[in-house]
Amino acid sequence: MLGIHDLGLFIASGLLLNMTPGPDSLLIMARSATQGFRAGSAAALGIGAGTCVHVLAAALGLSALLAASAAAFTVVKLLGAAYLVYLGIGMLFKRRAAVASDDAPPPPAPLPLRRIFAQGFLTNVLNPKVGLFFLAFVPHFISADAPSKAMAFVVLGAVFNVNGMLWCHLLAWSSAAAGARVRGRAWTQTLGRWLNRGIGALFLAFGVRLAMAEMT
């Protein structure tokens, strides 16, 4: 149908690729562990929205233009790297919410779900390597004589994104469950602060790595 072949292999490969750790997974884990499943789901949905943009851009040929233009690739790459560094610094130096009691350390201030969604969207959509990945990976599963290569591309992109959302929500659920088991204990706020700092440092590293990335 639509000139798509080896759909089972595509689904299996997509699941394995979605399970590969990266900035998207780290964002979901961090938000889920500190604010619960709804926050992790908001981050996952933002990432899914960003993936939709990449799929449509690749299907329409915009990613091909990005791949062909070193200047365009560099601009998007540096924007994405700057945003990852911004997120990393925010996690490293996150302010704590003020509380009336002086006996217990204040918990971290929760972020609105809309802002978490936006973080997920921007983390994904500002990474040009995601668009180039779709451009390089998806055509292998579309026949040369497909009646509409763009439609086949969109269908495969949708399948990839649905599988990705299933994995991201499983990751959000497991991270939220782990966070709930330890939340409320005396040492968890200290652990949470160090977790934020550790993930913030990883985001900084991802940002630097993206800034140094070359077109492939």
Side-chain angles (χ1 to χ4, degrees):
M1 184 180 69
L2 297 175
I4 296 171
H5 59 84
D6 297 322
L7 183 59
L9 177 60
F10 175 82
I11 291 172
S13 302
L15 283 172
L16 289 174
L17 289 166
N18 277 307
M19 292 178 185
T20 304
D24 293 345
S25 299
L26 282 176
L27 182 65
I28 292 169
M29 292 172 65
R31 296 306 176 215
S32 300
T34 55
Q35 288 187 229
F37 175 76
R38 290 183 65 194
S41 177
L45 292 173
I47 290 162
T51 300
C52 287
V53 172
H54 283 296
V55 170
L56 291 174
L60 295 173
L62 298 179
S63 290
L65 294 176
L66 183 67
S69 170
F73 179 87
T74 299
V75 169
V76 177
K77 177 188 72 172
L78 292 178
L79 285 173
Y83 186 69
L84 288 177
V85 169
Y86 166 77
L87 279 183
I89 292 174
M91 289 183 172
L92 278 170
F93 302 103
K94 185 174 182 179
R95 294 179 180 178
R96 295 176 297 175
V99 295
S101 173
D102 295 330
D103 297 328
L111 289 176
L113 296 182
R114 288 177 299 178
R115 184 173 173 186
I116 295 173
F117 177 91
Q119 286 182 344
F121 178 78
L122 291 173
T123 298
N124 186 276
V125 83
L126 289 177
N127 186 349
K129 291 244 168 181
V130 178
L132 298 185
F133 158 76
F134 281 112
L135 202 62
F137 177 68
V138 175
H140 291 290
F141 300 90
I142 300 175
S143 301
D145 58 351
S148 175
K149 292 184 174 63
M151 182 58 67
F153 201 108
V154 169
V155 170
L156 287 174
V159 170
F160 182 92
N161 206 10
V162 169
N163 288 335
M165 287 298 94
L166 291 174
W167 166 249
C168 287
H169 278 83
L170 177 61
L171 188 63
W173 174 81
S174 59
S175 300
R181 280 197 295 269
V182 300
R183 197 171 293 124
R185 300 183 185 180
W187 47 270
T188 55
Q189 291 182 20
T190 299
L191 177 64
R193 287 194 295 272
W194 282 106
L195 177 65
N196 263 333
R197 290 171 184 171
I199 294 177
L202 287 173
F203 269 107
L204 285 174
F206 278 122
V208 172
R209 181 180 176 185
L210 179 59
M212 298 175 65
E214 299 293 335
M215 291 174 58
T216 55

